[in-house]
Amino acid sequence: MLYLILICFIALLIVGPSYWVKHTMEKYSEPANRYSFTGAELARNLLNSAKLPHVGVEVTESGDHYDPLKKTVRLTPDKFNGRSLTAITVAAHEVGHAIQDHDNYPPLAMRTRLVQWSAGVEKLGAGILMLAPVMMTVFRSPAAGLLLLVGGILTLGSAVLVHAVTLPMELNASFDRALPLLERERYLINGDMPHARRLLGAAAWTYVAASLMTLLNMARWLAILRR
């Protein structure tokens, strides 16, 4: 019974943040036309106010993010064209990263380097994962299973590491950059500020929640190897 309780507790720690982030984002996505301007328009205005007219704003299908190499804020279509509180707040969060970049905020530079490093590691891990089944079939050796484990850790573990160590940077973008902008420029409707704070918190935890879910995939690989 104690073992079952421990398993449930660990599962809650892993799944809980992801559920909270998703629930918070969806909750404030309605009403969809709450604001007279879109997330893209707000991002452009905030960037201009921060004296960053050179930073672009683009639509993307790859998730909301700021690209420090291309100097571009990228928003998914529902945020780029959206007029909900979620769209507005997430756009402000990504502008917060652009301001960090302008201010040479060290954790952002560290994350950029980690992302570049992890991309190579993930490719190596994916190659090993593709090779491992062949090794297991041809050689029927326990070493092939170890190779599979190494590949899984390289592929999934590097992403977990990158996202986990950048939570302070995400919190800074939300509460030290985006929130003061929203307060100073008075973009939010009266009464929306407490909800915007929750959304900014969810935006900061997005990557960490994703990395925690990745741990479930790592556990799945370990379970496969134990069979």
Side-chain angles (χ1 to χ4, degrees):
M1 178 62 69
L2 181 60
Y3 179 73
L4 181 61
I5 293 175
L6 181 61
I7 292 296
C8 292
F9 178 70
I10 293 174
L12 181 63
L13 286 179
I14 293 175
V15 178
S18 180
Y19 172 79
W20 172 71
V21 168
K22 182 179 179 181
H23 172 73
T24 303
M25 293 291 182
E26 290 179 349
K27 178 179 180 180
Y28 296 109
S29 292
E30 298 292 338
N33 61 345
R34 183 164 180 77
Y35 285 84
S36 61
F37 46 86
T38 65
E41 291 169 340
L42 174 75
R44 181 72 274 155
N45 290 337
L46 291 178
L47 288 167
N48 291 342
S49 297
K51 297 181 173 56
L52 298 174
H54 61 283
V55 176
V57 181
E58 297 178 353
V59 66
T60 182
E61 298 291 344
S62 301
D64 307 298
H65 66 279
Y66 169 69
D67 185 340
L69 300 179
K70 300 292 186 180
K71 308 299 181 188
T72 302
V73 168
R74 297 197 176 102
L75 303 171
T76 53
D78 60 315
K79 313 296 192 323
F80 189 91
N81 300 309
R83 300 174 184 269
S84 66
L85 180 58
T86 293
I88 298 305
T89 308
V90 170
H93 172 81
E94 299 306 334
V95 169
H97 286 308
I99 296 173
Q100 288 177 333
D101 188 22
H102 175 72
D103 293 342
N104 296 315
Y105 184 60
L108 179 64
M110 180 185 71
R111 183 183 187 278
T112 302
R113 289 193 295 270
L114 281 175
V115 168
Q116 294 172 332
W117 166 81
S118 68
V121 172
E122 287 182 19
K123 288 180 180 179
L124 175 62
I128 293 175
L129 287 175
M130 293 176 63
L131 181 63
V134 178
M135 297 283 290
M136 293 177 70
T137 301
V138 174
F139 296 104
R140 300 183 181 277
S141 168
L146 179 60
L147 190 66
L148 187 65
L149 174 62
V150 171
I153 290 176
L154 287 175
T155 303
L156 303 175
S158 59
V160 173
L161 174 64
V162 170
H163 293 153
V165 301
T166 55
L167 178 59
M169 182 200 71
E170 296 292 336
L171 292 171
N172 178 272
S174 280
F175 297 107
D176 294 340
R177 315 285 176 159
L179 186 62
L181 274 178
L182 292 173
E183 290 176 331
R184 184 171 67 248
E185 302 296 336
R186 299 180 182 274
Y187 280 108
L188 297 182
I189 295 171
N190 287 339
D192 273 2
M193 184 56 72
H195 308 307
R197 287 178 179 271
R198 294 189 192 98
L199 279 164
L200 287 170
W205 275 86
T206 298
Y207 291 114
V208 176
S211 68
L212 289 175
M213 292 302 293
T214 302
L215 290 175
L216 291 179
N217 287 330
M218 294 182 68
R220 181 171 62 87
W221 281 108
L222 290 173
I224 291 173
L225 290 175
R226 290 185 63 184
R227 292 175 184 175

